[in-house]
Amino acid sequence: MTSFPGLERLVPDYVKSFEVYIPSKPDDELKKLYGCSKLYRLNNNENPLGPPETARRALQAFDPAQASIYPSGDCYHLRRKLGDIFGMRPDQFLAGNGANEVIGFAIKAFCRQGDNIITADKTFAVYEWVARFSGFEARLVPLVDYGFDAPGMIERIDERTKLVFVCNPNNPTGSWWDQRTLRWFLDRVDGRCIVVVDEAYREFVENPDFPDSMALIANYPNLVVFRTFSKMYGLAGLRIGYLAGSKEVVDIIRRTCVVYSVNTLAQVGAFSALDDREHVARTRESVSSGKGFLLKELGLMGLPCVHGEGNFVMTRLPISDSLAYRKMMTRGVMVRTMTGFRFPNWIRITVSHREALEAFAEALSKILREGREF
Amino acid sequence: MRRESGKLLLSVDAEEVFLPVVTAFVEKAASCFGLRTDESLRLTLAAEEVFIYLCRKTTYSGGPLQIACSNGGYFAQAVFSLPTDSFDLKAFNVTAAISLEDDAELDSMGLVIASRSVDRFTLGREKGGELRLTLIKEKSYPPLPSQVEPAVTAALSRPILRSPAPEEIKFISRLAVSYYDTCALSDILLHPGKLTDMITAGEYDCLAAAGESGEIGGAIFWRRLGENMVECFGPYVFNQPTPSAISEDLVDGCIGAVARSTAVGIINIGPPPGFPGGRFELLGTFDSYGPDRTSTAVEAWFRMLSEDTGATVWVHPDLDAFIRREYARLVLPREIRVDRPSGETLPHHSVLCAEFDRPRGRVTLRPMWPGADAAENIMRHLKLMKTENIPDIHFAVDLGQAWQTVFIPGLLGSGFEPRFVLPYAGKGDVVVFQHGVNRQ
């Protein structure tokens, strides 16, 4: 017998139809569950080099006594530093408890009942999730050749479209819009809605044609850029990300944000991470080398790959990705299944350090051999 | 009587004096929902039997009983709901009046009579503890004629996946019959009007692989099956070069359509030739019975829609070897807790809920309550199904509920065999047993 018979009546239909996100269990539990003594995490696109040296030192120097003091409610120092780096005003930035939180801020700020957001069908799921569990329509435009379809998205915009989310580079395909494409898109949108460009993996990109979105904000006040400290800066465990936009747009989004949601340690780590001059270059070098190794190994196994910018590679398997996940786990390698990204039978592999990638290649090769023998 | 979100609701005391109100309500509702007169009367007869039964079995008069009639597009249903505490749970067994030694009482059983009058009859207990009896009467649809003129389509170069229009759904039925033996087809394809209604009602979904000029090169169908599962049918591919990527595209499209739903797994039972099995895992086989009651082995394929986060299961020692073998084969991470009744006091009477699917000659039994008479209760149900000429008897045991282990010795001792484990199909994984009476 339920303890709350009236609960059903209180829950909106759009919440009833929504799935609970079940995160992975902690590593110690997973190792016990799958019977492996070691676990290589190649599932979350974390940086195997960890945080920059400057951030490590700042975190080590953190006085535990400070834990009793509330953090800066609006990440005061961090926003000033970001302003200095990008040549913008501090009030053009808004930090959140990971970039996921700022997605929620943006949707809450602009959408009301009957509105819609537009994004791709095969991309980072959180734009679609947040829209749907908030009761708004998520219009999904199919990728074209694994990339965001700019004309297709323009076609779907109507008077109730409030936000368009472009993941650039796209997670999980690595495809990206160059400066020309982004400008073309912003011109066609012509200020009718907010254009969010999620640049979670931007720091991994070396190609000079990649758009300078921060600079474009001056010309396109409806452009909002998301960045995170979870990927390149290795601070995923502290949960901190931010958005940047024109002052008037950020002022609106700030009204829906939760102040004090970014803890002090995260602010300290992020602030200091931006001072490191070598970390980005070292990570890019590591990713480049690791990606080369990974692509060669997957090629030897005869598996088709999709990759572009970012510290990840996607490959298609001849077996179910969820089965492959379980088999890989028994060998101590954790990958990301891609069914949830609507790429059944694909897995995404984080370009990690060589030892992890070698363990991955060995495990996958054995699994595929077993499958053929079976 | 009131109307609520497409349903007609009647709240009535469980007293026989109200029987005319109940029968009039169900008959009129069924008629308004488009059932023919004879179909409405059959649903009404079933409702009458159920209501009388409930009146006689509720523990106090004036019990709050709800009857909800709703239109499922291709069927009308009447759902009786009542709180658990007003009903003797033992009486919830469809076999409540059956003696293992005596057949005389069979015809006097209201619930059995009710089950005969409708296409689907389900007894169950909802999450909130409410008892629920569901009666479903489907509308009659003409089958495809036995000689169907081949419905021609062309080879497609760059098909796109899209939802078919209603008129295309019927065309897909004709294509399917043109290019497949009917025994390789899901029976949903054999009644095109019904299929159209099922899709319009939202019970089934469909994706078609179509060319620019409207040519249909293939299709796949799916529906929700309980809270955690999706069942898909197909893919069916028509007149395309071999090998064709359409088959894989359709499966990927179907999986993609449900990948971000609440479902955790997708099952395909008896897929057609050319099924891309590499996207699924073979769970096992079971016997399927045709209209002439001959059986054929069909395969059950499954795939998870997400990463397995592990689970705890409760297993009777007699089932331990089977379970461990299957978990090892499927590489499912489970903490297996072996459990059996160890002298603790059990209720005297167990309860099984039964889901009758008369057109398929199938009944699925599920434990609803443990009891010391578990083995005997299973035997009573087997006896009833034999009397009712139902050849295909399934029994689903939820490994997430320790108390269900009490049924295992009775199942194995009465000729049931474990056929496969369906991950996360209940509170935990579900072992599907099938009675092996025809496979000596």
mmCIF file of all heavy atoms in Angstrom, chain B residues 133-172:
data_model
loop_
_atom_site.group_PDB
_atom_site.id
_atom_site.type_symbol
_atom_site.label_atom_id
_atom_site.label_comp_id
_atom_site.label_asym_id
_atom_site.label_seq_id
_atom_site.Cartn_x
_atom_site.Cartn_y
_atom_site.Cartn_z
ATOM 1 N N LEU B 133 -9.489 -5.583 -11.958
ATOM 2 C CA LEU B 133 -9.878 -6.599 -12.945
ATOM 3 C C LEU B 133 -10.140 -5.871 -14.257
ATOM 4 O O LEU B 133 -10.970 -4.949 -14.308
ATOM 5 C CB LEU B 133 -11.161 -7.321 -12.528
ATOM 6 C CG LEU B 133 -11.078 -8.224 -11.301
ATOM 7 C CD1 LEU B 133 -11.514 -7.480 -10.072
ATOM 8 C CD2 LEU B 133 -11.955 -9.448 -11.523
ATOM 9 N N THR B 134 -9.460 -6.281 -15.280
ATOM 10 C CA THR B 134 -9.602 -5.607 -16.560
ATOM 11 C C THR B 134 -10.226 -6.551 -17.583
ATOM 12 O O THR B 134 -9.761 -7.681 -17.764
ATOM 13 C CB THR B 134 -8.216 -5.140 -17.076
ATOM 14 O OG1 THR B 134 -7.634 -4.296 -16.093
ATOM 15 C CG2 THR B 134 -8.336 -4.385 -18.390
ATOM 16 N N LEU B 135 -11.278 -6.077 -18.218
ATOM 17 C CA LEU B 135 -11.945 -6.846 -19.268
ATOM 18 C C LEU B 135 -11.774 -6.095 -20.577
ATOM 19 O O LEU B 135 -12.123 -4.913 -20.660
ATOM 20 C CB LEU B 135 -13.442 -6.973 -18.962
ATOM 21 C CG LEU B 135 -13.825 -7.521 -17.594
ATOM 22 C CD1 LEU B 135 -15.321 -7.337 -17.358
ATOM 23 C CD2 LEU B 135 -13.459 -8.996 -17.517
ATOM 24 N N ILE B 136 -11.258 -6.759 -21.586
ATOM 25 C CA ILE B 136 -11.046 -6.098 -22.875
ATOM 26 C C ILE B 136 -11.751 -6.877 -23.971
ATOM 27 O O ILE B 136 -11.537 -8.092 -24.117
ATOM 28 C CB ILE B 136 -9.540 -5.976 -23.192
ATOM 29 C CG1 ILE B 136 -8.890 -4.987 -22.222
ATOM 30 C CG2 ILE B 136 -9.311 -5.536 -24.639
ATOM 31 C CD1 ILE B 136 -7.408 -4.816 -22.400
ATOM 32 N N LYS B 137 -12.588 -6.180 -24.689
ATOM 33 C CA LYS B 137 -13.234 -6.791 -25.848
ATOM 34 C C LYS B 137 -12.798 -6.028 -27.088
ATOM 35 O O LYS B 137 -13.005 -4.813 -27.193
ATOM 36 C CB LYS B 137 -14.766 -6.731 -25.695
ATOM 37 C CG LYS B 137 -15.534 -7.409 -26.813
ATOM 38 C CD LYS B 137 -15.265 -8.902 -26.851
ATOM 39 C CE LYS B 137 -15.744 -9.519 -28.164
ATOM 40 N NZ LYS B 137 -15.126 -10.833 -28.411
ATOM 41 N N GLU B 138 -12.180 -6.743 -27.992
ATOM 42 C CA GLU B 138 -11.703 -6.089 -29.210
ATOM 43 C C GLU B 138 -12.817 -6.014 -30.244
ATOM 44 O O GLU B 138 -13.722 -6.841 -30.270
ATOM 45 C CB GLU B 138 -10.510 -6.857 -29.789
ATOM 46 C CG GLU B 138 -9.297 -6.847 -28.873
ATOM 47 C CD GLU B 138 -8.085 -7.504 -29.511
ATOM 48 O OE1 GLU B 138 -8.199 -8.008 -30.650
ATOM 49 O OE2 GLU B 138 -7.032 -7.508 -28.864
ATOM 50 N N LYS B 139 -12.696 -5.005 -31.104
ATOM 51 C CA LYS B 139 -13.632 -4.912 -32.225
ATOM 52 C C LYS B 139 -13.265 -5.987 -33.252
ATOM 53 O O LYS B 139 -12.105 -6.413 -33.330
ATOM 54 C CB LYS B 139 -13.532 -3.528 -32.874
ATOM 55 C CG LYS B 139 -13.944 -2.395 -31.949
ATOM 56 C CD LYS B 139 -13.682 -1.044 -32.581
ATOM 57 C CE LYS B 139 -13.954 0.058 -31.571
ATOM 58 N NZ LYS B 139 -13.548 1.385 -32.043
ATOM 59 N N SER B 140 -14.228 -6.391 -34.022
ATOM 60 C CA SER B 140 -13.948 -7.381 -35.068
ATOM 61 C C SER B 140 -13.452 -6.670 -36.322
ATOM 62 O O SER B 140 -14.031 -5.657 -36.734
ATOM 63 C CB SER B 140 -15.222 -8.161 -35.420
ATOM 64 O OG SER B 140 -15.658 -8.872 -34.302
ATOM 65 N N TYR B 141 -12.401 -7.182 -36.880
ATOM 66 C CA TYR B 141 -11.859 -6.602 -38.118
ATOM 67 C C TYR B 141 -11.752 -7.701 -39.163
ATOM 68 O O TYR B 141 -11.397 -8.847 -38.824
ATOM 69 C CB TYR B 141 -10.461 -6.031 -37.876
ATOM 70 C CG TYR B 141 -10.429 -4.805 -36.995
ATOM 71 C CD1 TYR B 141 -10.360 -4.924 -35.615
ATOM 72 C CD2 TYR B 141 -10.467 -3.529 -37.551
ATOM 73 C CE1 TYR B 141 -10.326 -3.803 -34.799
ATOM 74 C CE2 TYR B 141 -10.421 -2.403 -36.736
ATOM 75 C CZ TYR B 141 -10.355 -2.549 -35.368
ATOM 76 O OH TYR B 141 -10.311 -1.442 -34.577
ATOM 77 N N PRO B 142 -12.006 -7.363 -40.402
ATOM 78 C CA PRO B 142 -11.827 -8.386 -41.437
ATOM 79 C C PRO B 142 -10.343 -8.691 -41.622
ATOM 80 O O PRO B 142 -9.524 -7.768 -41.633
ATOM 81 C CB PRO B 142 -12.419 -7.727 -42.695
ATOM 82 C CG PRO B 142 -12.370 -6.258 -42.421
ATOM 83 C CD PRO B 142 -12.482 -6.098 -40.945
ATOM 84 N N PRO B 143 -9.988 -9.968 -41.713
ATOM 85 C CA PRO B 143 -8.580 -10.288 -41.984
ATOM 86 C C PRO B 143 -8.249 -9.994 -43.432
ATOM 87 O O PRO B 143 -9.149 -9.783 -44.256
ATOM 88 C CB PRO B 143 -8.510 -11.779 -41.696
ATOM 89 C CG PRO B 143 -9.887 -12.266 -41.975
ATOM 90 C CD PRO B 143 -10.830 -11.154 -41.631
ATOM 91 N N LEU B 144 -6.970 -9.965 -43.730
ATOM 92 C CA LEU B 144 -6.585 -9.863 -45.142
ATOM 93 C C LEU B 144 -7.107 -11.105 -45.855
ATOM 94 O O LEU B 144 -7.093 -12.193 -45.281
ATOM 95 C CB LEU B 144 -5.061 -9.832 -45.257
ATOM 96 C CG LEU B 144 -4.386 -8.494 -45.020
ATOM 97 C CD1 LEU B 144 -2.889 -8.692 -44.884
ATOM 98 C CD2 LEU B 144 -4.665 -7.545 -46.172
ATOM 99 N N PRO B 145 -7.572 -10.959 -47.089
ATOM 100 C CA PRO B 145 -7.996 -12.162 -47.819
ATOM 101 C C PRO B 145 -6.826 -13.121 -47.980
ATOM 102 O O PRO B 145 -5.667 -12.707 -47.994
ATOM 103 C CB PRO B 145 -8.466 -11.607 -49.158
ATOM 104 C CG PRO B 145 -7.986 -10.215 -49.241
ATOM 105 C CD PRO B 145 -7.737 -9.736 -47.860
ATOM 106 N N SER B 146 -7.142 -14.394 -48.056
ATOM 107 C CA SER B 146 -6.054 -15.380 -48.109
ATOM 108 C C SER B 146 -5.215 -15.224 -49.376
ATOM 109 O O SER B 146 -4.023 -15.500 -49.387
ATOM 110 C CB SER B 146 -6.635 -16.788 -48.010
ATOM 111 O OG SER B 146 -7.632 -16.949 -48.990
ATOM 112 N N GLN B 147 -5.839 -14.817 -50.458
ATOM 113 C CA GLN B 147 -5.075 -14.577 -51.687
ATOM 114 C C GLN B 147 -4.898 -13.063 -51.857
ATOM 115 O O GLN B 147 -5.801 -12.368 -52.306
ATOM 116 C CB GLN B 147 -5.827 -15.140 -52.899
ATOM 117 C CG GLN B 147 -5.945 -16.652 -52.910
ATOM 118 C CD GLN B 147 -4.600 -17.341 -53.043
ATOM 119 O OE1 GLN B 147 -3.740 -16.868 -53.794
ATOM 120 N NE2 GLN B 147 -4.392 -18.418 -52.315
ATOM 121 N N VAL B 148 -3.751 -12.572 -51.472
ATOM 122 C CA VAL B 148 -3.512 -11.137 -51.591
ATOM 123 C C VAL B 148 -2.668 -10.875 -52.833
ATOM 124 O O VAL B 148 -1.637 -11.502 -53.041
ATOM 125 C CB VAL B 148 -2.777 -10.597 -50.345
ATOM 126 C CG1 VAL B 148 -2.457 -9.122 -50.528
ATOM 127 C CG2 VAL B 148 -3.637 -10.794 -49.122
ATOM 128 N N GLU B 149 -3.170 -9.997 -53.622
ATOM 129 C CA GLU B 149 -2.417 -9.627 -54.832
ATOM 130 C C GLU B 149 -1.104 -8.978 -54.405
ATOM 131 O O GLU B 149 -1.098 -8.107 -53.521
ATOM 132 C CB GLU B 149 -3.254 -8.612 -55.611
ATOM 133 C CG GLU B 149 -2.752 -8.342 -57.009
ATOM 134 C CD GLU B 149 -3.655 -7.310 -57.692
ATOM 135 O OE1 GLU B 149 -4.873 -7.332 -57.421
ATOM 136 O OE2 GLU B 149 -3.136 -6.505 -58.448
ATOM 137 N N PRO B 150 0.009 -9.386 -54.988
ATOM 138 C CA PRO B 150 1.286 -8.815 -54.551
ATOM 139 C C PRO B 150 1.272 -7.294 -54.648
ATOM 140 O O PRO B 150 0.834 -6.721 -55.638
ATOM 141 C CB PRO B 150 2.298 -9.421 -55.516
ATOM 142 C CG PRO B 150 1.648 -10.652 -56.013
ATOM 143 C CD PRO B 150 0.167 -10.388 -56.015
ATOM 144 N N ALA B 151 1.706 -6.677 -53.582
ATOM 145 C CA ALA B 151 1.789 -5.217 -53.557
ATOM 146 C C ALA B 151 3.224 -4.842 -53.892
ATOM 147 O O ALA B 151 4.137 -5.097 -53.127
ATOM 148 C CB ALA B 151 1.413 -4.716 -52.175
ATOM 149 N N VAL B 152 3.397 -4.287 -55.057
ATOM 150 C CA VAL B 152 4.753 -4.091 -55.579
ATOM 151 C C VAL B 152 5.344 -2.791 -55.043
ATOM 152 O O VAL B 152 4.680 -1.780 -54.928
ATOM 153 C CB VAL B 152 4.727 -4.051 -57.126
ATOM 154 C CG1 VAL B 152 6.115 -3.803 -57.689
ATOM 155 C CG2 VAL B 152 4.164 -5.359 -57.641
ATOM 156 N N THR B 153 6.595 -2.855 -54.710
ATOM 157 C CA THR B 153 7.339 -1.641 -54.403
ATOM 158 C C THR B 153 8.697 -1.766 -55.065
ATOM 159 O O THR B 153 9.088 -2.843 -55.505
ATOM 160 C CB THR B 153 7.455 -1.436 -52.884
ATOM 161 O OG1 THR B 153 7.975 -0.144 -52.635
ATOM 162 C CG2 THR B 153 8.372 -2.461 -52.249
ATOM 163 N N ALA B 154 9.397 -0.674 -55.122
ATOM 164 C CA ALA B 154 10.659 -0.680 -55.861
ATOM 165 C C ALA B 154 11.834 -0.647 -54.894
ATOM 166 O O ALA B 154 11.689 -0.285 -53.734
ATOM 167 C CB ALA B 154 10.699 0.545 -56.777
ATOM 168 N N ALA B 155 13.000 -1.024 -55.404
ATOM 169 C CA ALA B 155 14.220 -0.902 -54.604
ATOM 170 C C ALA B 155 14.476 0.585 -54.361
ATOM 171 O O ALA B 155 14.333 1.415 -55.262
ATOM 172 C CB ALA B 155 15.386 -1.530 -55.342
ATOM 173 N N LEU B 156 14.835 0.917 -53.150
ATOM 174 C CA LEU B 156 15.038 2.320 -52.787
ATOM 175 C C LEU B 156 16.529 2.616 -52.696
ATOM 176 O O LEU B 156 17.288 1.829 -52.134
ATOM 177 C CB LEU B 156 14.374 2.620 -51.437
ATOM 178 C CG LEU B 156 12.872 2.318 -51.345
ATOM 179 C CD1 LEU B 156 12.362 2.634 -49.944
ATOM 180 C CD2 LEU B 156 12.105 3.129 -52.362
ATOM 181 N N SER B 157 16.913 3.772 -53.207
ATOM 182 C CA SER B 157 18.333 4.107 -53.124
ATOM 183 C C SER B 157 18.659 4.813 -51.801
ATOM 184 O O SER B 157 19.551 4.427 -51.083
ATOM 185 C CB SER B 157 18.746 4.975 -54.311
ATOM 186 O OG SER B 157 17.933 6.124 -54.366
ATOM 187 N N ARG B 158 17.928 5.841 -51.466
ATOM 188 C CA ARG B 158 18.195 6.550 -50.206
ATOM 189 C C ARG B 158 16.888 6.724 -49.426
ATOM 190 O O ARG B 158 16.307 7.810 -49.399
ATOM 191 C CB ARG B 158 18.823 7.914 -50.496
ATOM 192 C CG ARG B 158 20.261 7.835 -50.973
ATOM 193 C CD ARG B 158 20.804 9.219 -51.285
ATOM 194 N NE ARG B 158 20.862 10.069 -50.105
ATOM 195 C CZ ARG B 158 21.882 10.110 -49.271
ATOM 196 N NH1 ARG B 158 22.921 9.328 -49.464
ATOM 197 N NH2 ARG B 158 21.866 10.929 -48.237
ATOM 198 N N PRO B 159 16.435 5.635 -48.803
ATOM 199 C CA PRO B 159 15.161 5.744 -48.077
ATOM 200 C C PRO B 159 15.299 6.618 -46.834
ATOM 201 O O PRO B 159 16.382 6.710 -46.251
ATOM 202 C CB PRO B 159 14.864 4.304 -47.671
ATOM 203 C CG PRO B 159 16.191 3.636 -47.627
ATOM 204 C CD PRO B 159 17.037 4.303 -48.670
ATOM 205 N N ILE B 160 14.215 7.262 -46.473
ATOM 206 C CA ILE B 160 14.197 7.978 -45.204
ATOM 207 C C ILE B 160 13.233 7.258 -44.262
ATOM 208 O O ILE B 160 12.297 6.598 -44.708
ATOM 209 C CB ILE B 160 13.763 9.456 -45.367
ATOM 210 C CG1 ILE B 160 12.384 9.543 -46.030
ATOM 211 C CG2 ILE B 160 14.787 10.269 -46.115
ATOM 212 C CD1 ILE B 160 11.684 10.839 -45.752
ATOM 213 N N LEU B 161 13.483 7.384 -42.990
ATOM 214 C CA LEU B 161 12.603 6.764 -42.002
ATOM 215 C C LEU B 161 11.581 7.793 -41.558
ATOM 216 O O LEU B 161 11.936 8.910 -41.197
ATOM 217 C CB LEU B 161 13.403 6.291 -40.786
ATOM 218 C CG LEU B 161 14.495 5.260 -41.025
ATOM 219 C CD1 LEU B 161 15.089 4.815 -39.699
ATOM 220 C CD2 LEU B 161 13.981 4.058 -41.798
ATOM 221 N N ARG B 162 10.325 7.406 -41.587
ATOM 222 C CA ARG B 162 9.274 8.313 -41.133
ATOM 223 C C ARG B 162 8.066 7.511 -40.684
ATOM 224 O O ARG B 162 7.928 6.323 -40.992
ATOM 225 C CB ARG B 162 8.870 9.289 -42.244
ATOM 226 C CG ARG B 162 8.299 8.623 -43.481
ATOM 227 C CD ARG B 162 7.708 9.669 -44.418
ATOM 228 N NE ARG B 162 7.321 9.123 -45.699
ATOM 229 C CZ ARG B 162 6.223 8.416 -45.943
ATOM 230 N NH1 ARG B 162 5.388 8.125 -44.947
ATOM 231 N NH2 ARG B 162 5.936 7.968 -47.148
ATOM 232 N N SER B 163 7.184 8.198 -39.947
ATOM 233 C CA SER B 163 5.935 7.546 -39.549
ATOM 234 C C SER B 163 5.027 7.465 -40.767
ATOM 235 O O SER B 163 4.861 8.454 -41.474
ATOM 236 C CB SER B 163 5.240 8.357 -38.455
ATOM 237 O OG SER B 163 6.057 8.429 -37.328
ATOM 238 N N PRO B 164 4.437 6.311 -41.023
ATOM 239 C CA PRO B 164 3.558 6.200 -42.193
ATOM 240 C C PRO B 164 2.204 6.863 -41.953
ATOM 241 O O PRO B 164 1.747 6.960 -40.811
ATOM 242 C CB PRO B 164 3.392 4.693 -42.362
ATOM 243 C CG PRO B 164 3.608 4.135 -41.003
ATOM 244 C CD PRO B 164 4.570 5.044 -40.294
ATOM 245 N N ALA B 165 1.586 7.307 -43.028
ATOM 246 C CA ALA B 165 0.209 7.826 -42.947
ATOM 247 C C ALA B 165 -0.728 6.640 -42.746
ATOM 248 O O ALA B 165 -0.372 5.502 -43.060
ATOM 249 C CB ALA B 165 -0.125 8.562 -44.243
ATOM 250 N N PRO B 166 -1.955 6.892 -42.216
ATOM 251 C CA PRO B 166 -2.879 5.771 -41.953
ATOM 252 C C PRO B 166 -3.104 4.882 -43.178
ATOM 253 O O PRO B 166 -3.133 3.643 -43.053
ATOM 254 C CB PRO B 166 -4.166 6.487 -41.538
ATOM 255 C CG PRO B 166 -3.707 7.767 -40.935
ATOM 256 C CD PRO B 166 -2.491 8.171 -41.721
ATOM 257 N N GLU B 167 -3.243 5.489 -44.354
ATOM 258 C CA GLU B 167 -3.491 4.654 -45.533
ATOM 259 C C GLU B 167 -2.248 3.823 -45.885
ATOM 260 O O GLU B 167 -2.361 2.732 -46.452
ATOM 261 C CB GLU B 167 -3.935 5.507 -46.732
ATOM 262 C CG GLU B 167 -2.926 6.517 -47.225
ATOM 263 C CD GLU B 167 -2.990 7.846 -46.461
ATOM 264 O OE1 GLU B 167 -3.595 7.872 -45.374
ATOM 265 O OE2 GLU B 167 -2.420 8.837 -46.949
ATOM 266 N N GLU B 168 -1.074 4.312 -45.517
ATOM 267 C CA GLU B 168 0.147 3.554 -45.792
ATOM 268 C C GLU B 168 0.277 2.358 -44.852
ATOM 269 O O GLU B 168 0.897 1.355 -45.202
ATOM 270 C CB GLU B 168 1.369 4.466 -45.642
ATOM 271 C CG GLU B 168 1.492 5.497 -46.761
ATOM 272 C CD GLU B 168 2.683 6.424 -46.554
ATOM 273 O OE1 GLU B 168 2.899 6.881 -45.418
ATOM 274 O OE2 GLU B 168 3.376 6.706 -47.536
ATOM 275 N N ILE B 169 -0.310 2.468 -43.681
ATOM 276 C CA ILE B 169 -0.217 1.346 -42.732
ATOM 277 C C ILE B 169 -0.905 0.122 -43.321
ATOM 278 O O ILE B 169 -0.394 -0.994 -43.269
ATOM 279 C CB ILE B 169 -0.850 1.743 -41.380
ATOM 280 C CG1 ILE B 169 -0.026 2.859 -40.740
ATOM 281 C CG2 ILE B 169 -0.921 0.543 -40.442
ATOM 282 C CD1 ILE B 169 -0.712 3.540 -39.575
ATOM 283 N N LYS B 170 -2.074 0.345 -43.916
ATOM 284 C CA LYS B 170 -2.780 -0.790 -44.527
ATOM 285 C C LYS B 170 -1.985 -1.345 -45.711
ATOM 286 O O LYS B 170 -1.921 -2.550 -45.938
ATOM 287 C CB LYS B 170 -4.188 -0.362 -44.964
ATOM 288 C CG LYS B 170 -5.104 -0.114 -43.779
ATOM 289 C CD LYS B 170 -6.556 -0.069 -44.176
ATOM 290 C CE LYS B 170 -6.897 1.259 -44.799
ATOM 291 N NZ LYS B 170 -8.337 1.391 -45.064
ATOM 292 N N PHE B 171 -1.341 -0.422 -46.442
ATOM 293 C CA PHE B 171 -0.523 -0.853 -47.577
ATOM 294 C C PHE B 171 0.661 -1.695 -47.074
ATOM 295 O O PHE B 171 1.048 -2.688 -47.702
ATOM 296 C CB PHE B 171 -0.036 0.377 -48.348
ATOM 297 C CG PHE B 171 0.770 0.055 -49.567
ATOM 298 C CD1 PHE B 171 0.225 -0.684 -50.604
ATOM 299 C CD2 PHE B 171 2.084 0.485 -49.688
ATOM 300 C CE1 PHE B 171 0.977 -0.987 -51.740
ATOM 301 C CE2 PHE B 171 2.831 0.198 -50.812
ATOM 302 C CZ PHE B 171 2.279 -0.548 -51.839
ATOM 303 N N ILE B 172 1.220 -1.306 -45.937
ATOM 304 C CA ILE B 172 2.333 -2.074 -45.362
ATOM 305 C C ILE B 172 1.877 -3.495 -45.029
ATOM 306 O O ILE B 172 2.608 -4.465 -45.246
ATOM 307 C CB ILE B 172 2.893 -1.347 -44.121
ATOM 308 C CG1 ILE B 172 3.664 -0.096 -44.552
ATOM 309 C CG2 ILE B 172 3.810 -2.267 -43.317
ATOM 310 C CD1 ILE B 172 4.028 0.846 -43.410
#
